[in-house]
Amino acid sequence: MSTATYNLTGMAKVVRVFFLLLRLLAVAATLCAVIVMATSHDSTIVFGITLEAKFQHTPALVFFVIANGIAFIYSLIVLFVPSTSLLSRSIIVFDVILAMLLTAAIAAAGAMAQLGKKGNSHAGWFPICDRVPNFCDHVMGAMICGCVGVVTFLLIVFYDIHQVLSPKFP
Amino acid sequence: MADENGKQTETESRPCHQTVALLLVSLRLAALVATSTAAGLMAFNKETKTITVAVVGTNPILQSFTAAFQQTPAFVYFVLANALASLYNLLVMLLRPCLKNRGRQVLVHLLDMVVFALVVTGAAAAASMAELGKNGNKYARWNPICDRFEAFCIRGGAALVAAFIGAVLLLLMNAFSAIGLTCKNEASNNN
């Protein structure tokens, strides 16, 4: 990379600050998704038996928590990495990998959430959201945070591609 | 873009090799085959079982149960995503002579990422449904169905494997396409 003068136009500075804010938003969104999903817990009593709904019972929701946890730790680390040449290339690769991991996680959690809400009459699977509404609300909140995290990571990936194609900053 | 066509920047100084273009075309063809296989296998996934539910006198009363992919929205999305991905790959391969322009190459690369995201989300949703169908969820009183509809589950599993293979191929294609975008294309024979 050239060591010329560090001349950034006003627009380029605004764009750079915007993407730093996007990385902060990614940290916040993934943390929110992890915490809200991890605290989802509800129980109800049916015919004298206590039925509990926890996120650990469903592997798709466990995958959602783990994926967002990994993305949170990675986003924290990336905030402290200086924009040097060698490391920023690896960060682009990891950004893409984690964006895809988060989209897969939210897809799996979305499939489970749709099943919990509507059930599947053909398989004899009854919906559970009318019995444990607190659990379903927590899962929905975590998925909204997860969606925000996915969109943020995708915008970061677009910015990385733009940087690779036409580097404006030394 | 900040740089002009004639000026060589740091990222565009490596020349493109023919092998990169050939690799990209073969990866796209393989991904097309994989995603179309996944879509086709799941679209024709249907199993009907007729069992006797009661006997009245000497006449058995039969009832038929059907397991089809339309009953689960995740599988419907899986079929749609894989069909869209294979159609897109077919279109890009047919329109290769029109895509020598650099702007169009960037557009194809971005659409590649969108299609890859579609395939990955379809495979993830279908995989979570398949895991539920195989193991059930005893806490929610959801019984597994794979012990009763074995052929349905086997075909669904094969479709899922094909979709995951297609997703890996699409990921490799995205990575090589990104490398191909940063090398100097004098002959403009990138994918």
Side-chain angles (χ1 to χ4, degrees):
Chain A
M1 288 290 184
S2 69
T3 54
T5 54
Y6 204 94
N7 274 336
L8 288 180
T9 63
M11 184 62 190
K13 263 190 199 158
V14 167
V15 168
R16 196 161 189 196
V17 166
F18 174 65
F19 281 96
L20 185 61
L21 287 178
L22 265 192
R23 289 217 185 258
L24 284 174
L25 180 65
V27 170
T30 47
L31 180 66
C32 156
V34 168
I35 288 181
V36 173
M37 185 68 88
T39 55
S40 66
H41 179 248
D42 200 5
S43 59
T44 180
I45 299 177
V46 172
F47 300 128
I49 310 170
T50 309
L51 296 174
E52 282 195 54
K54 291 190 213 172
F55 82 95
Q56 296 101 315
H57 295 332
T58 313
L61 298 182
V62 171
F63 172 54
F64 181 81
V65 168
I66 292 176
N68 276 283
I70 292 174
F72 166 66
I73 293 172
Y74 167 78
S75 305
L76 266 186
I77 292 174
V78 157
L79 280 181
F80 297 117
V81 165
S83 57
T84 58
S85 166
L86 182 64
L87 211 51
S88 57
R89 298 283 170 166
S90 333
I91 282 176
I92 293 171
V93 170
F94 287 129
D95 271 342
V96 173
I97 292 175
L98 277 174
M100 287 305 139
L101 187 71
L102 282 184
T103 53
I106 202 149
M112 281 300 138
Q114 195 270 342
L115 193 65
K117 196 160 181 64
K118 297 279 173 65
N120 191 336
S121 56
H122 299 99
W125 294 339
F126 297 109
I128 62 165
C129 274
D130 44 357
R131 305 219 199 114
V132 282
N134 204 16
F135 177 70
C136 280
D137 287 340
H138 265 262
V139 168
M140 183 173 76
M143 281 185 55
I144 291 174
C145 288
C147 268
V148 169
V150 163
V151 168
T152 311
F153 260 89
L154 284 178
L155 285 175
I156 291 174
V157 164
F158 282 151
Y159 178 62
D160 285 339
I161 292 175
H162 180 250
Q163 262 202 311
V164 163
L165 287 181
S166 68
K168 287 188 179 124
F169 322 114
Chain B
M1 304 253 182
D3 48 349
E4 293 128 13
N5 280 338
K7 192 164 69 165
Q8 254 192 0
T9 60
E10 287 244 357
T11 55
E12 295 195 14
S13 54
R14 292 175 287 127
C16 285
H17 298 286
Q18 281 274 16
T19 51
V20 172
L22 199 61
L23 186 67
L24 280 175
V25 171
S26 53
L27 275 178
R28 199 177 282 277
L29 186 64
L32 167 68
V33 167
T35 48
S36 53
T37 306
L41 270 178
M42 188 62 91
F44 292 109
N45 200 6
K46 189 176 177 182
E47 192 180 353
T48 313
K49 266 190 153 53
T50 314
I51 61 172
T52 312
V53 286
V55 176
V56 175
T58 51
N59 300 332
I61 298 178
L62 302 168
Q63 189 171 4
S64 63
F65 299 95
T66 315
F69 84 96
Q70 299 102 314
Q71 297 164 354
T72 313
F75 288 153
V76 172
Y77 174 60
F78 177 83
V79 170
L80 280 174
N82 278 286
L84 208 66
S86 48
L87 273 176
Y88 165 77
N89 280 328
L90 185 67
L91 208 65
V92 166
M93 283 183 58
L94 288 178
L95 290 177
R96 256 194 88 212
C98 303
L99 294 170
K100 305 289 187 190
N101 193 6
R102 186 175 172 82
R104 288 185 187 172
Q105 282 180 16
V106 172
L107 178 67
V108 165
H109 181 67
L110 288 178
L111 284 177
D112 270 344
M113 298 193 69
V114 169
V115 159
F116 172 59
L118 272 179
V119 170
V120 161
T121 49
S128 67
M129 281 297 144
E131 195 272 339
L132 192 64
K134 192 160 181 66
N135 297 332
N137 192 336
K138 62 179 197 238
Y139 301 98
R141 305 278 191 269
W142 291 340
N143 297 322
I145 63 161
C146 274
D147 45 358
R148 308 222 195 117
F149 294 98
E150 281 181 24
F152 180 75
C153 278
I154 289 173
R155 237 174 278 160
L160 214 60
V161 166
F164 275 121
I165 291 176
V168 167
L169 288 170
L170 282 173
L171 176 67
L172 286 175
M173 195 178 68
N174 269 334
F176 285 121
S177 169
I179 293 174
L181 275 177
T182 62
C183 62
K184 185 171 68 172
N185 43 353
E186 343 167 284
S188 303
N189 53 3
N190 265 2
N191 188 33

